[in-house]
Amino acid sequence: NLFQLSIEKIIVALVMTFIIINGEIDLSVGSMMGLSACAFGWMVKEQGVAAPAAIAISLAIGVLGGALNGWFITRVGLPSLVVTLATLIGFRGLARVLVEDRGLTDFPDWFDALGQQGLIGPVPFALVAFAVLFLLLYIVLERSGFGRKTQVIGTNREVAEFAGIDTDRHKMILFIASGTIAAFAGLLYAARVGAVRGDVANGFELDIITIVLLGGVSIFGGTGSLIGTLLAILIVLNIRNGMALLNITGHIQTGVIGLLLIASVIVPRLKIGAAREKAA
């Protein structure tokens, strides 16, 4: 049940693991989820577009959004923090323009069933998608040249370039993947909830980044694993669930997750500092 209620966040956390290991960050994933969901709802309910076509266009929006981030980072040379902060605002603004203050509902039954009914027994489609994506990305990160390049670039980009790695192309692929997976997660959210609004997935990037960093991925890049991310998913989801059972409000929950994010960055730095002092 915990996985099902937060499945969209943890799916995006998988690709965010690659982004941060590569030494970058993508703050726009929550807004892209919202834009994808709102674009789907707007096309189906306001423009009469067939749902399958609307899904394909929504995923294409994710591809274009990720490519936009990648272009500014690799071609213009802007920091990913600045670029994705700007697109976080831009994507969210576009989502609100499409649906304004309305809530769009009554999607096709088969679409709602993807998020609300079991695909294999009681197991929903989104959970199956997460399992398949986790296995695929685990193999890519741990058993492929692409995964090793991701880590090398995150450790030292100049060394990677001297080794003949096309770092710009690699980063572009990662940001396109991030935008596409975020758009896919936004569609899953729309299917599970059965409605979309302009604030869909608002603030989700906080939980996603916290999960990745708490899982042992270095904020400075170069190190991390998907197994750590999976364990952190269980921790964060149980903390969220425990606070909900204690009737702690959503704003306080967000504050606790924020403190957890700070701790996940500070604690590894303290350990490194202590190790250096001991070695000296």
Side-chain angles (χ1 to χ4, degrees):
N1 287 337
L2 290 177
F3 268 77
Q4 186 172 356
L5 292 175
S6 299
I7 192 66
E8 302 84 18
K9 294 179 185 178
I10 62 179
I11 284 177
V12 179
L14 298 180
V15 71
M16 183 67 75
T17 301
F18 278 75
I19 293 286
I20 298 181
I21 289 176
N22 195 237
E24 305 291 350
I25 197 163
D26 188 353
L27 299 176
S28 68
V29 288
S31 295
M32 176 52 72
M33 291 171 65
L35 176 58
S36 171
C38 289
F40 171 82
W42 177 77
M43 285 185 284
V44 171
K45 302 303 296 182
E46 302 289 332
Q47 304 302 312
V49 177
I55 290 174
I57 295 172
S58 297
L59 292 176
I61 290 173
V63 173
L64 292 174
L68 180 67
N69 283 336
W71 186 82
F72 276 109
I73 292 165
T74 62
R75 301 304 179 188
V76 181
L78 297 177
S80 58
L81 178 66
V82 175
V83 172
T84 58
L85 179 60
T87 51
L88 176 153
I89 299 169
F91 295 158
R92 181 63 62 186
L94 287 175
R96 293 187 181 279
V97 167
L98 289 175
V99 301
E100 298 175 347
D101 294 327
R102 297 166 295 166
L104 302 179
T105 59
D106 296 326
F107 301 134
D109 292 339
W110 65 265
F111 179 78
D112 289 341
L114 290 176
Q116 300 170 13
Q117 297 180 15
L119 179 66
I120 302 176
V123 181
F125 168 76
L127 193 55
V128 175
F130 168 78
V132 172
L133 190 61
F134 176 85
L135 291 174
L136 176 63
L137 293 182
Y138 176 82
I139 293 171
V140 170
L141 183 60
E142 302 293 340
R143 298 288 186 270
S144 76
F146 187 89
R148 289 190 290 273
K149 289 177 182 178
T150 300
Q151 295 171 336
V152 170
I153 294 171
T155 301
N156 193 315
R157 182 172 180 174
E158 292 183 357
V159 170
E161 289 176 345
F162 281 127
I165 298 174
D166 189 341
T167 58
D168 286 346
R169 178 176 177 272
H170 195 93
K171 290 179 183 294
M172 178 65 80
I173 292 172
L174 287 179
F175 277 98
I176 290 176
S178 179
T180 305
I181 295 300
F184 174 65
L187 292 171
L188 291 178
Y189 185 92
R192 180 170 65 84
V193 178
V196 298
R197 292 178 56 88
D199 60 353
V200 166
N202 189 30
F204 276 23
E205 56 277 345
L206 174 62
D207 278 17
I208 291 167
I209 294 172
T210 299
I211 286 170
V212 176
L213 297 182
L214 188 63
V217 177
S218 171
I219 188 63
F220 302 103
T223 60
S225 72
L226 281 174
I227 296 298
T229 298
L230 180 62
L231 295 175
I233 286 170
L234 298 174
I235 294 172
V236 172
L237 294 188
N238 276 284
I239 289 175
R240 282 278 194 185
N241 184 59
M243 289 190 291
L245 293 176
L246 293 173
N247 294 320
I248 296 175
T249 64
H251 295 300
I252 296 178
Q253 290 184 31
T254 300
V256 171
I257 297 299
L259 292 174
L260 191 61
L261 174 59
I262 294 173
S264 65
V265 175
I266 291 178
V267 171
R269 296 295 295 172
L270 293 177
K271 289 183 177 180
I272 292 173
R276 288 176 177 175
E277 290 181 1
K278 186 176 180 180

